[in-house]
Amino acid sequence: MIYVNGMYRSGSTVIYNIVRHIINSGLIEQHINKCHEDWNPLAVTAHDINIYSYRDVRTATASFIRKKEWTEYNFKHNAIKVKTAKEYMKFLVRTDYATKNAMRSTDVILKYEEDVLTLRLGIIKILSTLKVTATEVLIEQIYAAHNIKKVKEYVDTLTNKSDIRTKFHPNHISLEVTDWKQYLSKDSWDDIEILQWLEDNNYVL
């Protein structure tokens, strides 16, 4: 079993479909399961593979806010929503630490800003983890089918329902790189737990 286990809003659905592409091309024989915090490391066997993705928890939260179509002003000036954002980030932080601590040397961790947005490096890491030879032709073939712009074009055709095959749903993908400063005041992430996580993962404070 291949588990594609990602932080929310970290590109895990794109990664899931890249792995599906590799399986459907006959390059490996495996089943695949996409999950988030419900991933259970105790259920993972020695033959299973875990692919985990994460991103700056501030941009993950801002992406969630934008997806919900909450206005920037109403969010930044609403104390209840600011508190909610902080609790959401702390949830992401705790889940991220727990997941990474359970990962094995045979698994792979992908950073959204480096491995998903630009994608080619992520594809190479996925192929290496799955023990598939990363030829230039194969990398470009996968990139052409699953780069963010191509995926956005497909998601835009999903007008009112999700695609159970790809797990994409309407408004799933944006081509914009979310600037968390537009949506989040410093009060929402000025927390020792969040600050420590940002430092541990080399994000600028």
Side-chain angles (χ1 to χ4, degrees):
M1 178 70 72
I2 300 171
Y3 292 94
V4 176
N5 167 28
M7 178 186 289
Y8 288 107
R9 313 300 298 162
S10 69
S12 58
T13 308
V14 172
I15 296 166
Y16 170 82
N17 281 285
I18 289 173
V19 176
R20 283 186 64 250
H21 181 123
I22 295 167
I23 293 172
N24 292 339
S25 297
L27 297 171
I28 58 172
E29 292 185 10
Q30 273 282 15
H31 296 290
I32 183 172
N33 182 21
K34 181 178 180 290
C35 46
H36 291 291
E37 79 281 358
D38 54 337
W39 176 69
N40 180 10
L42 297 179
V44 176
T45 72
H47 301 289
D48 295 332
I49 297 169
N50 305 303
I51 301 174
Y52 176 67
S53 58
Y54 73 101
R55 73 188 294 186
D56 186 329
V57 293
R58 295 168 298 186
T59 60
T61 302
S63 178
F64 175 77
I65 293 167
R66 186 179 61 196
K67 184 174 181 294
K68 292 295 185 183
E69 298 182 346
W70 293 332
T71 67
E72 297 167 16
Y73 178 85
N74 285 342
F75 194 91
K76 290 180 74 171
H77 295 80
N78 185 312
I80 294 175
K81 288 183 177 179
V82 168
K83 182 179 179 181
T84 299
K86 180 178 288 187
E87 291 305 312
Y88 183 69
M89 278 184 271
K90 289 170 77 169
F91 161 74
L92 295 179
V93 163
R94 292 166 185 168
T95 304
D96 182 78
Y97 276 131
T99 301
K100 287 176 179 173
N101 286 338
M103 299 286 276
R104 307 162 305 183
S105 60
T106 51
D107 301 327
V108 64
I109 297 175
L110 304 177
K111 190 171 186 176
Y112 177 82
E113 295 83 357
E114 298 172 2
D115 300 316
V116 180
L117 280 182
T118 53
L119 201 58
R120 285 185 176 88
L121 181 58
I123 292 169
I124 292 169
K125 290 180 179 179
I126 291 168
L127 290 170
S128 175
T129 300
L130 300 180
K131 294 181 171 53
V132 175
T133 302
T135 66
E136 186 174 343
V137 171
L138 180 58
I139 293 167
E140 290 306 313
Q141 181 189 66
I142 295 172
Y143 178 84
H146 300 282
N147 67 79
I148 298 298
K149 186 175 181 180
K150 185 71 173 181
V151 170
K152 177 71 165 59
E153 292 174 359
Y154 170 70
V155 168
D156 286 346
T157 69
L158 304 175
T159 53
N160 58 8
K161 63 179 182 178
S162 299
D163 183 346
I164 60 173
R165 180 177 53 90
T166 64
K167 300 191 184 299
F168 284 118
H169 52 75
N171 198 30
H172 198 138
I173 298 289
S174 172
L175 294 181
E176 301 174 37
V177 177
T178 304
D179 182 358
W180 56 265
K181 294 177 184 177
Q182 294 178 1
Y183 295 86
L184 301 173
S185 64
K186 188 173 181 181
D187 288 343
S188 64
W189 58 273
D190 191 7
D191 175 273
I192 189 168
E193 192 173 0
I194 298 170
L195 291 170
Q196 185 62 57
W197 183 91
L198 292 169
E199 184 177 332
D200 288 347
N201 289 277
N202 300 312
Y203 287 110
V204 177
L205 301 181

